[in-house]
Amino acid sequence: MELIEADARYVAGSGAVDSYMKSKDGYRGRWPDASFDIDGLGKFAIEVQFAPSLAPEVIGRSDFYAKEGVNLIWLLPWYSFEQVQRAYASDIAQEARGNFFVLDQEAERESRVRGTLVIWAAWIGERSFERKLVSLDDLTYPKGGHPFFVDAVTPAIFRTAERRRQQISLDLLETKDDIVPKRKVIFDLDEQPDEEGSRLIRSAISIWSAAKGEYINYSGHSDKLTGQIDAYLNSNDGRRRAVIINQMLVSTQARPCIKRSVWEKIERADLHDQLDDSDRWVAYVHSLFPEVFRVDLRSEALVAGSLPTWAIPAG
């Protein structure tokens, strides 16, 4: 607690070590290794994890503190990166958007210099492991979540989806003009989409290409996206998936590519019963575009400035 109490914003008398924290709703409480209040930042709980802990226990503690409005910081021992990567560390990091937090001798010295708690924030970057000494003021405090320095989870999900789309777009382009017998259309699936599923996926990938400014028609030969989508909405299966098409368009840079008459057709199509993600091909498109359909990731990425340009609404 010495490092915490050195901070001028420390709320006198709020610090506790190995003290039981009650639930405001009468549920089972927790025993954080340390807890304290910092004026302007709120209440904190420190959990020091030296031994492996099962994921359900990690999630249980994380959920408890989140419900209580307490900022949770897990501190891990620092031996080497290989050791800190153990399974339990990964579970803990997941609760802080992919961040590990470590207090070692170097961080302790820096804490004394700055007069506030300083810890290592460590995360898996796009190509390598990265870390930086940070103070509590450097962290982001999401509503309903726990402090983090760098969101290392959302970009990783987006990168994985991008790689899938790149491969699928090649598969779709190669099979676009197939008639009979049709080759395997999408290679990351065991079961191939039926005609309706194929048309939906091809339309979504085409919208994505237009949003990036490099339009390719993956289902026909119209040289404009508005013509392709107009034709798709003329089909019964297209009308029943209009809500998916609409969300892909309004959520991306592809919106200006669509003529007014096609927007009106989308509005009329919305009067038909719409398929949701209980339909496997709608669910598949959702998984291909987390930047559009994962509202939680999208909103966080917008705030953090990590949402790809193509997925930012035009205008």
Side-chain angles (χ1 to χ4, degrees):
M1 291 299 298
E2 179 186 353
L3 300 178
I4 299 298
E5 292 173 352
D7 194 312
R9 299 165 301 171
Y10 167 72
V11 177
S14 67
V17 176
D18 292 330
S19 180
Y20 185 71
M21 184 180 291
K22 294 181 180 179
S23 165
K24 289 181 286 192
D25 296 324
Y27 298 112
R28 173 195 170 196
R30 295 287 174 172
W31 291 84
D33 292 294
S35 60
F36 55 88
D37 291 4
I38 295 291
D39 189 29
L41 291 180
K43 190 173 186 64
F44 288 80
I46 301 291
E47 294 274 8
V48 182
Q49 194 70 31
F50 286 105
S53 183
L54 295 176
E57 175 64 18
V58 170
I59 295 169
R61 291 195 220 177
S62 178
D63 287 349
F64 169 79
Y65 293 118
K67 288 175 183 175
E68 297 300 308
V70 177
N71 298 309
L72 171 62
I73 294 180
W74 292 88
L75 289 179
L76 302 176
W78 188 271
Y79 307 113
S80 69
F81 177 53
E82 287 72 22
Q83 287 175 290
V84 88
Q85 269 189 304
R86 288 177 294 185
Y88 77 92
S90 298
D91 292 333
I92 288 170
Q94 190 71 23
E95 299 302 311
R97 308 306 297 167
N99 292 210
F100 305 99
F101 294 115
V102 178
L103 179 64
D104 64 2
Q105 289 183 340
E106 185 176 353
E108 183 179 343
R109 286 194 298 270
E110 188 66 18
S111 297
R112 297 184 188 282
V113 170
R114 298 193 199 180
T116 188
L117 179 64
V118 174
I119 53 181
W120 284 105
W123 65 95
I124 307 295
E126 185 171 355
R127 294 183 178 83
S128 64
F129 168 66
E130 301 177 40
R131 62 174 173 157
K132 183 177 180 179
L133 283 171
V134 300
S135 72
L136 298 180
D137 297 286
D138 296 321
L139 304 180
T140 296
Y141 295 84
K143 185 177 180 180
H146 294 300
F148 64 90
F149 178 61
V150 171
D151 182 356
V153 172
T154 302
I157 293 173
F158 289 172
R159 288 195 298 271
T160 299
E162 176 73 15
R163 287 193 292 269
R164 289 178 64 206
R165 292 192 297 261
Q166 293 287 358
Q167 181 56 60
I168 288 166
S169 64
L170 294 175
D171 300 338
L172 294 179
L173 195 60
E174 186 177 332
T175 58
K176 183 172 81 167
D177 294 321
D178 281 8
I179 302 176
V180 178
K182 287 187 178 295
R183 289 173 288 173
K184 189 169 185 176
V185 178
I186 298 175
F187 287 81
D188 72 339
L189 292 176
D190 292 328
E191 181 183 345
Q192 292 300 292
D194 55 21
E195 286 298 313
E196 291 188 6
S198 177
R199 283 193 290 270
L200 172 64
I201 295 166
R202 290 178 185 277
S203 297
I205 292 288
S206 297
I207 293 172
W208 169 62
S209 71
K212 295 192 300 175
E214 47 192 44
Y215 172 64
I216 298 174
N217 186 334
Y218 288 93
S219 59
H221 297 282
S222 172
D223 60 356
K224 294 185 183 300
L225 179 65
T226 192
Q228 179 187 354
I229 298 303
D230 185 48
Y232 179 57
L233 293 171
N234 285 334
S235 65
N236 182 59
D237 57 290
R239 286 190 290 271
R240 296 187 66 208
R241 293 169 174 84
V243 67
I244 308 301
I245 298 302
N246 182 65
Q247 192 166 348
M248 283 289 299
L249 292 170
V250 301
S251 302
T252 69
Q253 292 286 310
R255 182 171 190 157
C257 301
I258 303 301
K259 290 182 176 180
R260 183 181 182 85
S261 59
V262 179
W263 284 114
E264 292 171 351
K265 186 173 288 188
I266 290 174
E267 291 178 7
R268 291 195 299 274
D270 198 30
L271 298 174
H272 295 259
D273 290 335
Q274 296 294 303
L275 296 174
D276 56 25
D277 57 9
S278 60
D279 174 83
R280 71 166 302 175
W281 302 117
V282 169
Y284 183 72
V285 169
H286 283 190
S287 75
L288 281 181
F289 297 97
E291 301 92 337
V292 172
F293 296 104
R294 282 285 303 273
V295 178
D296 55 336
L297 299 184
R298 181 178 174 83
S299 58
E300 290 173 0
L302 272 170
V303 172
S306 58
L307 191 67
T309 301
W310 67 263
I312 298 174

